Amino acid sequence: MNLTTRLSAVKGVGDKTAEQFRLSGLHTVGDLIYFLPRKHEDFSSITPIADISPGKRTIRARCESITTKNVRRGMRLTTATLVDGTGKLQAVWFNQAYRTVQLKDSSQEFFFSGEFEFNYNKYQLTNPSAEKVSDMPVQTDRLLPVYRAVKGLKSQLVRKILAELRPLMSMLPDTLPESIVKSEKLLPLSDALLAIHFPKNTIDIEKARERLAFEELFELLLAAQLNKRANAGLTAEPIPFEQPTVKAFVSRLPFDLTPGQRQAAWDILQDLGRDMPMNRLLQGDVGAGKTVVAGIAARQAASHSFQTAILAPTEILAAQHARTLADLLEPLGVSVALLSGSVKAKARQPLLAELKDGKVDVLVGTHALLEAPVQFRQLGLVVIDEQHRFGVAQRQALLQKGKRMPHLLAMTATPIPRSLALTLYGELDVSIITTKPKNRKPIITKIVSPVSRKQLYSTIDVEIGKGRQAYVICRLIDDNPQNEAKSVQAEYKKLQNSVFGHRRIGLLHGRMKPSEKDEVMQKFKDSQYDILVSTTVVEVGVDVPNATVMLIEDAEQYGLSQLHQLRGRVGRSELQSFCYLLTSDTAKPSQRLREIEKSNDGFYLAEVDLKLRGPGEIYGRAQHGALNLQVATLGDTKLIARAQKAAQAFVSSGASLLQYKQLAAHVEKYQRLTTLN
Ligand code: ADP
Ligand code: MG
């Protein structure tokens, strides 16, 4: 048996168990060994029910009675009465109906561990874990690993099969170079895995976590170091800085650049002038004014006959950029064109021909830019807006269109917290616009419960009366019996037939044709609508400075960064703006909503988001499919610093990865994921 052995070949794994594992993404022995516990439950201190007080508590009890009922659509509440020799208490679970089966035998004793708290007018044990006392392994000193219940996978089953793999685990060779294990005083791999799956005490668990977290970070940072070295060898066409060109562009702007914009533009213009490809990330909170900085770079490129490609994630945003940049650049003789999915094949041919001839200086578009027929005469600069929306492959596809490596400017309003930037993009240069254009007032954000809806509408109507505009964001396009969230279709009708009958309302969603979307957006921008009822198609980048009200329906259903982005559609001028987060019920608002109500600072919110959700979730989807740190947290700056040093030392020692197969495979994967070009 080894790490690649199928789990179905392990003793105790029948067809049914193998299927369960497969559904959880666990196929091989190695998958299971590296399926690390989510936490360890400490059953060593048991509170008698008679003595219980609020807080995290463990009791040893039987379940006297248990029922599950539907409280509202999508919510099932399970309530149980638990008894020990000293008294009774109530426990509740949300959407864990399987507890009814698990606990139905009232003669079985369980350890229940959860928060004892005041909820729904009484003290209850909330969402406790439940472990059969008779299943508790004797040798564990009552410390029990708890695994993620992917697709209902039971921790107990994982523990049982892991026990079969114990001999293999204890013989596993180390995956890190021995010198590093020694100098960093880390646990050897096999000891760490044993300690984490079969814990003896909390100190061992900590040391095991440290070892495994170090390894994850070391792999990431080593990948970043190697990328950096590889990039240093690349060459690009230098695009020299010409002060008059830039000055002429800037002097035509209807505003002064902010100090942050000036600095970022300076950094970029310097980079462009080198014969090494620029690799810069421009971060700036929503509304900070990143587009115009990209415009400066494109202007500089065009003056040396280099073409610029600007990639945007949505049709709406691409169309907006093409317009904005055409306004800024065409009077200076720089031609701007739009290529999106909606540009018909017929119109496309002449456009592509002009592009190849170099008659188009700046091409803005969606992923339509990546297609093979899109060829440039001399691509010098690639700008990726909202870069977190794109994957590495897309970035590379665009960069490959240059004869030599083009310069790359990636822009994002979803800031990567420093710790993460260091880990992910060790090779990257970063410019940050920290200041917003002057005269901007902080957006006033309020959580609004449905009982105040009427009042809210009259507040909004007053704003509209002053000539301002409002967004109303709904989760769905059509009403859906499976989902209680509001839909744009229904909300559009409702508002038109009731409170806002006297206002002009637009409707926007992702199933509309690109030309229709563009028309609606343009009408909203031209103040021909007072209210735009929209799905999240306007989430990123959309810029209508006269809109000052953002109303988000079913706000609890959105993530933190999504809420921040949506809110960023307002507050784009010197006018006071408002963001209302409407919740669908009167329950206590989530921490997410309270955080967003409290802070306008995207950088702060990104750190909070990182804590609440973890990097795998945040950066996992679009960009880093495989970046899923299991153990390391990117808040652990000390460990990151240690791993960083070790990775640097490893690279400069010239040591080869060849003899460390697993390390090499992981590093190679990360290298592909985290490089910007
Ligand atoms: P983001 O950084 O979110 O992409 P945009 O580039 O869309 O922001 O700019 C937001 C708005 O602010 C636009 O209407 C833009 O014209 C305006 N703007 C940009 N820079 C300045 C500035 N220095 N002073 C005033 N307004 C500015
Ligand atoms: Mg933008």
Side-chain angles (χ1 to χ4, degrees):
M1 194 178 351
N2 61 43
L3 291 179
T4 57
T5 307
R6 312 295 301 172
L7 276 169
S8 51
V10 176
K11 192 171 150 237
V13 181
D15 288 352
K16 218 177 124 218
T17 308
E19 177 64 9
Q20 268 243 304
F21 281 139
R22 202 183 58 76
L23 286 174
S24 312
L26 304 170
H27 305 281
T28 64
V29 164
D31 291 342
L32 192 62
I33 288 181
Y34 278 97
F35 186 61
L36 302 178
R38 183 166 59 84
K39 60 175 180 178
H40 291 86
E41 204 81 81
D42 185 354
F43 293 100
S44 58
S45 87
I46 308 290
T47 308
I49 290 178
D51 296 341
I52 202 159
S53 57
K56 175 106 176 102
R57 300 287 173 252
T58 302
I59 63 169
R60 176 177 178 153
R62 293 177 299 107
C63 172
E64 198 178 69
S65 64
I66 184 161
T67 56
T68 292
K69 58 180 181 199
N70 291 336
V71 278
R72 54 183 154 94
R73 222 186 290 165
M75 166 78 99
R76 306 185 77 191
L77 186 69
T78 302
T79 314
T81 305
L82 308 180
V83 292
D84 69 2
T86 71
K88 289 187 187 194
L89 59 71
Q90 200 170 76
V92 288
W93 292 269
F94 301 101
N95 291 336
Q96 298 183 17
Y98 66 90
R99 298 290 184 192
T100 323
V101 182
Q102 181 194 18
L103 304 175
K104 67 172 188 277
D105 179 359
S106 61
S107 66
Q108 276 288 352
E109 264 196 309
F110 288 82
F111 290 112
F112 295 95
S113 193
E115 195 76 26
F116 189 62
E117 59 182 8
F118 195 72
N119 231 334
Y120 296 99
N121 296 322
K122 53 177 151 270
Y123 276 103
Q124 293 178 320
L125 200 57
T126 311
N127 281 332
S129 64
E131 294 288 343
K132 242 190 229 176
V133 171
S134 57
D135 281 346
M136 198 67 108
V138 235
Q139 75 277 27
T140 60
D141 203 17
R142 305 234 150 120
L143 266 172
L144 211 55
V146 180
Y147 298 87
R148 273 183 295 126
V150 197
K151 311 262 179 211
L153 182 69
K154 301 273 188 309
S155 277
Q156 198 208 321
L157 179 66
V158 177
R159 291 196 288 264
K160 189 179 129 204
I161 306 304
L162 277 170
E164 295 293 329
L165 303 177
R166 200 171 169 154
L168 175 70
M169 240 183 275
S170 59
M171 290 174 344
L172 283 179
D174 214 299
T175 40
L176 283 175
E178 200 188 329
S179 59
I180 293 180
V181 175
K182 261 204 188 122
S183 63
E184 293 291 331
K185 301 195 175 57
L186 299 170
L187 280 188
L189 177 67
S190 56
D191 291 2
L193 289 170
L194 289 169
I196 211 150
H197 288 304
F198 310 99
K200 295 213 171 53
N201 57 57
T202 48
I203 298 173
D204 280 3
I205 297 174
E206 270 320 299
K207 289 186 72 174
R209 286 197 169 276
E210 181 200 46
R211 147 76 207 214
L212 297 169
F214 181 92
E215 183 161 349
E216 287 181 340
L217 293 169
F218 180 75
E219 287 171 351
L220 258 174
L221 291 160
L222 187 55
Q225 288 290 323
L226 292 173
N227 277 340
K228 189 172 185 169
R229 222 175 42 173
N231 282 349
L234 293 174
T235 59
E237 297 282 357
I239 304 176
F241 174 46
E242 261 173 38
Q243 209 177 13
T245 319
V246 174
K247 258 202 165 143
F249 176 88
V250 173
S251 64
R252 286 179 32 91
L253 294 173
F255 43 70
D256 289 335
L257 291 178
T258 62
Q261 285 172 318
R262 247 169 232 289
Q263 180 64 50
W266 175 257
D267 293 343
I268 291 164
L269 293 170
Q270 296 303 306
D271 285 358
L272 289 179
R274 302 207 174 93
D275 60 2
M276 212 177 92
M278 166 165 80
N279 225 335
R280 188 167 286 277
L281 180 69
L282 174 58
Q283 287 189 27
D285 210 346
V286 278
K290 296 181 290 294
T291 316
V292 66
V293 177
I296 296 175
R299 173 74 195 99
Q300 180 70 77
S303 73
H304 292 278
S305 304
F306 286 105
Q307 292 168 296
T308 298
I310 301 186
L311 181 65
T314 64
E315 301 257 350
I316 293 175
L317 188 53
Q320 175 186 296
H321 280 338
R323 260 194 205 100
T324 310
L325 293 169
D327 286 349
L328 294 173
L329 294 170
E330 297 214 311
L332 299 166
V334 177
S335 66
V336 178
L338 171 68
L339 180 72
S340 64
S342 61
V343 176
K344 295 267 162 4
K346 249 190 179 165
R348 198 175 272 230
Q349 284 319 320
L351 173 60
L352 293 179
E354 286 184 9
L355 187 68
K356 210 170 171 191
D357 283 352
K359 290 195 189 113
V360 172
D361 295 308
V362 179
L363 184 67
V364 186
T366 54
H367 21 265
L369 291 192
L370 311 178
E371 290 161 15
V374 178
Q375 290 172 16
F376 295 81
R377 194 177 77 83
Q378 175 124 258
L379 180 63
L381 170 65
V382 165
V383 178
I384 301 193
D385 194 20
E386 310 291 347
Q387 72 94 25
H388 58 284
R389 290 286 190 104
F390 293 97
V392 186
Q394 290 162 312
R395 214 155 49 206
Q396 280 167 348
L398 194 50
L399 288 165
Q400 273 161 17
K401 293 183 185 281
K403 297 203 175 58
R404 289 170 79 183
M405 182 58 84
H407 295 280
L408 173 69
L409 174 63
M411 311 201 289
T412 182
T414 298
I416 301 175
R418 245 199 75 70
S419 54
L420 192 58
L422 176 71
T423 326
L424 287 186
Y425 301 118
E427 89 265 36
L428 191 73
D429 298 310
V430 181
S431 296
I432 304 180
I433 304 179
T434 50
T435 45
K436 292 234 171 130
K438 62 174 187 245
N439 304 332
R440 292 271 169 92
K441 301 184 183 68
I443 301 166
I444 298 173
T445 304
K446 285 206 174 95
I447 301 172
V448 182
S449 113
V451 296
S452 313
R453 180 179 287 277
K454 262 202 172 139
Q455 206 186 331
L456 175 61
Y457 284 148
S458 47
T459 313
I460 293 177
D461 200 51
V462 171
E463 278 297 301
I464 295 175
K466 292 186 202 160
R468 314 274 184 268
Q469 292 164 280
Y471 293 93
V472 173
I473 304 296
C474 304
R475 192 92 189 135
L476 306 176
I477 298 179
D478 303 299
D479 271 356
N480 175 350
Q482 311 297 322
N483 191 329
E484 283 193 338
K486 295 206 175 316
S487 75
V488 282
Q489 302 277 14
E491 210 47 27
Y492 173 71
K493 285 204 190 87
K494 204 189 84 191
L495 295 179
Q496 202 151 46
N497 295 327
S498 58
V499 281
F500 292 117
H502 58 301
R503 298 296 183 196
R504 300 161 303 167
I505 309 182
L507 171 68
L508 187 65
H509 59 74
R511 274 212 317 261
M512 289 161 60
K513 282 202 212 112
S515 56
E516 293 169 350
K517 279 191 265 187
D518 195 40
E519 189 186 326
V520 171
M521 212 47 241
Q522 204 47 38
K523 276 174 118 175
F524 188 57
K525 197 152 187 167
D526 294 342
S527 295
Q528 293 179 40
Y529 292 127
D530 303 303
I531 299 174
L532 184 65
V533 181
S534 174
T535 56
T536 54
V537 289
V538 294
E539 180 185 331
V540 289
V542 167
D543 184 47
V544 181
N546 188 52
T548 58
V549 177
M550 168 58 64
L551 188 169
I552 303 173
E553 295 280 358
D554 302 302
E556 70 279 358
Q557 297 199 11
Y558 295 90
L560 201 49
S561 63
Q562 217 179 0
L563 289 169
H564 183 62
Q565 280 280 0
L566 283 168
R567 175 171 60 182
R569 293 317 107 219
V570 297
R572 303 186 142 245
S573 67
E574 68 289 345
L575 302 166
Q576 176 64 58
S577 290
F578 305 86
C579 174
Y580 301 107
L581 307 167
L582 256 168
T583 55
S584 55
D585 58 28
T586 46
K588 200 170 97 183
S590 64
Q591 187 182 351
R592 270 206 309 276
L593 293 186
R594 281 179 281 134
E595 292 284 0
I596 201 111
E597 186 181 41
K598 203 168 69 185
S599 172
N600 262 307
D601 179 349
F603 287 79
Y604 167 77
L605 291 170
E607 296 279 357
V608 171
D609 209 17
L610 191 59
K611 278 204 197 96
L612 290 178
R613 287 197 299 160
E617 271 296 306
I618 299 179
Y619 302 96
R621 295 291 127 83
Q623 202 157 10
H624 305 294
L627 174 75
N628 242 325
L629 300 181
Q630 282 210 66
V631 197
T633 53
L634 293 157
D636 192 346
T637 44
K638 276 201 191 123
L639 200 61
I640 290 175
R642 272 172 63 190
Q644 169 86 333
K645 257 200 180 144
Q648 272 163 351
F650 187 82
V651 171
S652 51
S653 76
S656 157
L657 274 173
L658 278 180
Q659 63 186 115
Y660 311 104
K661 282 215 171 62
Q662 182 181 316
L663 179 62
H666 290 183
V667 166
E668 200 203 325
K669 182 188 77 181
Y670 283 136
Q671 265 193 279
R672 272 183 279 121
L673 283 172
T674 62
T675 186
L676 268 183
N677 52 34

